[in-house]
């Protein structure tokens, strides 16, 4: 569906009525929230509280990595299941409207899935991934032809009667969080940028968002270790197969050596795509019984297919993710390279 079709008047008015009729609203996004998940959720929570007077709270399965934590505006109420499991479940059960942002279904909320599915409250999906799980939702806004969930949310909020096309009416926290989420998902205007994306950015800058502050918070506050680990992985670890798959494996040992925190490898998987003969790039991050997998590809090669067929995952055509388990998929963590070499031969030849 195109963005224009997604924003048809009837859907916008239904959304407005759902918000109007609600009191306690929970806003969620995918597990291991990235900048777009945190940006879109923050933006919506602040809008619902400040413009609509709702008791809106964000609920996520796990607390964000330090590198993206600052995206959450001061004072915005967020609950994390890894810190406050009981409160999260009670909050979902007690809400009369639920939003899910930046993922295609409740299965991507991991430990919160059951609570969301059990709730009789109306559910609204706002997402830009492929294959939305429409059945579980009262209202779905979904298009892959957009930069980010934050951008889609921007266009939806803009259409709501109380905003009436004037983004200066967005609470400042909402405007800033939307620009931040879009900036991270496009890798600062490098990928998945559409004409609508520039229009959104232009609107938000005119409305007063300080882009320099957004960029500084996102890209100038890393720890030294992160930059050194990125260098190490590119220099010592990266392999490129004859077929053009570049892969890096952030093993537990590498993470310990550089004292790497969750989220600090964000962006690394994009780097090998700058090499001429590389068609696809895969980054593995070791967890207890699996690797978390990030995949990026050049046009003509489907990261989404590889994620779905080989890593129990999904995402977008050229940016996807998933998991690689042992002993289910590979006998032991050391066998990951052989698994990747086989994917290279079978999917990129
Ligand atoms: P990243 O590599 O930045 O973690 O994720 C890239 C894209 O793939 C994101 O849009 C993300 O939502 C999606 N993605 C990452 N991991 C998974 C997963 O385990 N399952 C699915 N379905 N999508 C994923
Ligand atoms: Mn996103």
């Amino acid at each position: 569906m195109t963005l224009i079709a997604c924003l048809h008047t009837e859907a916008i008015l239904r959304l407005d009525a759902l918000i109007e009729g609600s009191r306690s609203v929970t806003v969620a996004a995918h597990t291991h929230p990235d900048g777009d998940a945190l940006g879109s959720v923050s933006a919506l929570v602040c809008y619902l509280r400040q413009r609509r007077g709702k008791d809106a709270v964000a609920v996520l399965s796990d607390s964000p990595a330090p590198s993206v934590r600052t995206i959450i505006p001061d004072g915005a109420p967020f609950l994390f299941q890894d810190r406050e499991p009981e409160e999260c479940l009670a909050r979902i059960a007690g809400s009369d409207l639920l939003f899910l942002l930046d993922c295609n279904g409740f299965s991507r909320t991991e430990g919160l899935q059951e609570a969301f599915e059990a709730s009789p409250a109306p559910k609204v999906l706002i997402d830009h991934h492929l294959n939305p799980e429409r059945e579980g939702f009262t209202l779905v806004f979904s298009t892959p032809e957009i930069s980010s969930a934050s951008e889609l949310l921007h266009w939806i909020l803009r259409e709501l009667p109380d905003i009436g096309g004037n983004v200066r009416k967005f609470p400042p926290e909402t405007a800033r969080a939307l620009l931040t989420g879009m900036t991270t998902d496009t890798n600062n205007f490098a990928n998945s940028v559409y004409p609508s994306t520039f229009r959104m950015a232009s609107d938000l800058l005119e409305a007063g968002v300080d882009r320099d502050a957004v960029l500084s918070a996102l890209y100038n506050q890393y720890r030294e270790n992160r930059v050194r680990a990125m260098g190490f992985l590119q220099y010592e670890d990266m392999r490129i197969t004859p077929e053009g798959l570049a892969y890096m494996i952030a093993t537990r040992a590498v993470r310990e050596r550089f004292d790497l925190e969750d989220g600090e490898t964000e962006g690394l998987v994009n780097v090998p795509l700058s090499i001429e003969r590389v068609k696809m790039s895969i980054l593995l991050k070791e967890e207890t019984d699996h690797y978390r997998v990030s995949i990026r590809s050049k046009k003509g090669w489907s990261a989404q297919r590889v994620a779905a067929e080989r890593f129990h995952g999904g995402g977008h055509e050229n940016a996807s993710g998933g998991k690689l388990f042992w002993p289910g998929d590979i006998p032991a963590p050391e066998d990951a390279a052989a698994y990747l070499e086989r994917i290279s031969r079978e999917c990129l030849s």
Side-chain angles (χ1 to χ4, degrees):
M1 194 187 268
T2 62
L3 173 59
I4 302 295
C6 201
L7 297 174
H8 63 96
T9 313
E10 192 197 326
I12 295 290
L13 293 179
R14 264 186 91 193
L15 174 65
D16 192 55
L18 285 174
I19 294 173
E20 206 48 42
S22 69
R23 193 185 50 79
S24 169
V25 189
T26 290
V27 183
H30 60 79
T31 180
H32 292 291
D34 60 2
D36 188 32
L38 291 172
S40 56
V41 167
S42 300
L44 183 55
V45 165
C46 292
Y47 166 79
L48 291 169
R49 294 181 79 84
Q50 295 181 38
R51 295 263 339 161
R52 309 295 292 260
K54 302 298 168 183
D55 166 27
V57 172
V59 174
L60 296 169
S61 64
D62 30 27
S63 39
S67 52
V68 286
R69 199 173 289 155
T70 54
I71 292 173
I72 300 174
D74 288 342
F78 269 69
L79 292 173
F80 303 107
Q81 195 180 24
D82 57 358
R83 292 196 204 148
E84 308 111 329
E86 302 302 323
E87 288 88 335
C88 287
L89 300 182
R91 173 76 208 179
I92 295 167
S95 293
D96 52 16
L97 179 59
L98 303 173
F99 282 91
L100 183 62
L101 311 185
D102 197 30
C103 58
N104 61 354
F106 287 119
S107 56
R108 296 272 291 125
T109 64
E110 290 203 341
L112 298 169
Q113 178 176 2
E114 252 178 60
F116 281 121
E117 286 174 349
S119 163
K123 296 162 193 169
V124 181
L125 178 68
I126 299 178
D127 184 41
H128 68 127
H129 292 88
L130 299 166
N131 313 319
E133 295 168 11
R134 293 178 180 274
E135 313 75 51
F137 293 90
T138 317
L139 191 55
V140 173
F141 296 89
S142 167
T143 172
E145 295 173 29
I146 201 159
S147 65
S148 54
S150 297
E151 186 192 330
L152 179 54
L153 178 63
H154 166 94
W155 293 112
I156 293 168
L157 294 179
R158 206 173 178 281
E159 291 300 310
L160 285 172
D162 74 303
I163 299 295
N166 181 1
V167 300
R168 287 175 194 273
K169 292 186 179 169
F170 286 169
E173 293 84 354
T174 294
R176 178 178 169 139
L178 291 172
L179 189 75
T180 303
M182 179 276 286
T183 301
T184 61
D185 249 27
T186 59
N187 202 3
N188 199 9
F189 293 93
N191 326 112
S192 314
V193 172
Y194 293 78
S196 61
T197 315
F198 289 112
R199 265 183 237 126
M200 166 211 190
S202 163
D203 277 1
L204 291 174
L205 294 193
E206 257 173 24
V209 178
D210 181 347
R211 181 164 182 263
D212 290 339
V214 166
L215 293 183
S216 171
L218 287 175
Y219 302 121
N220 293 343
Q221 312 287 338
Y222 291 121
R223 298 183 318 143
E224 179 181 336
N225 276 9
R226 180 215 184 234
V227 177
R228 295 198 185 279
M230 298 270 251
F232 172 83
L233 284 164
Q234 288 168 67
Y235 184 69
E236 291 277 342
D237 190 76
M238 183 177 70
R239 297 282 174 273
I240 305 179
T241 66
E243 297 83 22
L245 173 69
Y247 63 88
M248 291 176 270
I249 306 182
T251 58
R252 183 169 296 271
V254 170
R255 296 176 74 164
E256 279 169 9
R257 172 170 171 190
F258 293 95
D259 186 28
L260 270 188
E261 292 170 359
D262 197 26
E264 284 194 310
T265 48
E266 184 73 35
L268 177 61
V269 65
N270 296 306
V271 175
L273 287 188
S274 62
I275 300 167
E276 194 228 341
R277 71 185 174 95
V278 170
K279 299 166 181 162
M280 185 174 285
S281 167
I282 298 184
L283 172 66
L284 303 185
K285 287 166 278 182
E286 187 175 347
E287 305 274 343
T288 33
D289 65 346
H290 67 276
Y291 287 103
R292 269 169 55 208
V293 183
S294 280
I295 311 172
R296 301 292 184 271
S297 59
K298 285 185 181 156
K299 268 202 169 47
W301 308 97
S302 177
Q304 201 274 338
R305 223 191 84 212
V306 170
E309 291 178 1
R310 309 289 171 130
F311 297 108
H312 318 279
H316 314 283
E317 181 63 10
N318 299 115
S320 280
K323 289 178 178 165
L324 179 65
F325 294 94
W326 59 86
D329 301 318
I330 50 175
E334 302 73 51
D335 301 307
Y339 190 85
L340 294 170
E341 297 276 348
R342 198 168 78 232
I343 289 178
S344 171
R345 288 192 299 274
E346 293 176 0
C347 301
L348 296 183
S349 293

